[in-house]
Amino acid sequence: MSKDKVIWTENLQKSYPLIKTYRDLIRHPFQRKFVHALRGINIAVSPQTCFCLVGPNGAGKTTLIKILTTLVLPDAGSAFILSHDVVREDARVKHLVGLAIAEERSFYWRLTGRQNLEFFASLYGFSRREAKKRIDEILELVGLTREADKRFNTYSSGMRQLLGLARALLPDVEIVFVDEPTRSLDPQMAERIRRFLRHELVDRQGKTVFWASHNLSEVEAYGQEVAIISQGKIKIQGRISELAGEGKQSLFEVYKQYVGSEENELSTLSGRY
């Protein structure tokens, strides 16, 4: 394990049982099949970096994030956050990382944005006084102060994403994980979130952002390091400027070299690019 890295994995593996059809249950009731989500993942992330993970649908991006944020246990291998094992020291890791998701089921629809944050602050162990101060700071930081007392079910997709970031930042975490944070957002809100992740969290506050994305243009514009994942394996990792040959080729061209066989996904990515 490298002490100068904030995230470090060694041969990380994860499989999920495949859901059987009725025909399979009848023909092979005791036979189990598995989907191999991660097949020996090795990554190393530098501190105070905007690290981007890109790959096709089903490549293993979300599974990797869930393991690194202690939501899912790996089948084999090791993963460390700031030298802490995510399995054996999961309680410590939970205080070091924040996961920003805007899934509707993860918030209470009838509560306001502020009330949602108050609830999660209580789970983190904030006193009422500490919670009020921190929530006011975070709402100002993400730009939701004016909308804080509106019900969550009235929020736009962009506002929900910002509230997800606010929740992730309630504790003073060192690493923020985001999974496709600009998906389905209008161009202005998407750009607002990109700039917040890179310029506010990384450049100004010195945090590490682990950013899973399908949008190669945003990765190339805002990322510093990138790892390309396909079929549960890391194909290549490095600084974006170096992989792109200091501007001699685009990140999309680099991507095609390593994920060239997945034509449907490539056509989607090239359209976004």
Side-chain angles (χ1 to χ4, degrees), residues 95-150:
H95 288 87
L96 298 172
V97 303
L99 174 60
I101 54 175
E103 292 181 2
E104 296 171 350
R105 291 175 296 177
S106 67
F107 287 101
Y108 291 92
W109 274 49
R110 295 187 178 184
L111 298 183
T112 66
R114 187 187 302 278
Q115 288 169 337
N116 268 285
L117 293 181
E118 288 172 348
F119 170 75
F120 288 108
S122 68
L123 296 182
Y124 283 119
F126 284 83
S127 68
R128 286 190 178 183
R129 188 173 184 178
E130 291 171 335
K132 184 182 184 309
K133 182 175 183 294
R134 184 59 177 165
I135 289 170
D136 286 343
E137 291 172 350
I138 293 299
L139 287 171
E140 179 69 25
L141 182 66
V142 301
L144 276 181
T145 301
R146 295 178 61 183
E147 293 83 10
D149 297 310
K150 296 179 181 177

Side-chain angles (χ1 to χ4, degrees), residues 62-73:
T62 300
T63 296
L64 179 56
I65 285 178
K66 286 182 176 180
I67 289 175
L68 293 174
T69 54
T70 76
L71 296 178
V72 170
L73 291 173

Side-chain angles (χ1 to χ4, degrees), residues 79-102:
F80 301 90
I81 299 291
L82 291 162
S83 300
H84 297 283
D85 189 293
V86 300
V87 175
R88 293 194 297 267
E89 302 175 89
D90 59 314
R92 177 59 180 153
V93 170
K94 283 181 171 71
H95 288 87
L96 298 172
V97 303
L99 174 60
I101 54 175

Side-chain angles (χ1 to χ4, degrees), residues 155-162 180-195 215 218 222:
Y155 279 14
S156 65
S157 296
M159 290 166 62
R160 291 175 183 180
Q161 189 62 256
L162 289 171
E180 297 188 52
T182 62
R183 180 178 54 187
S184 303
L185 300 186
D186 65 76
Q188 286 184 318
M189 180 58 77
E191 183 67 8
R192 176 179 171 182
I193 287 175
R194 292 180 193 123
R195 293 181 64 84
N215 190 323
E218 73 179 11
Y222 290 93

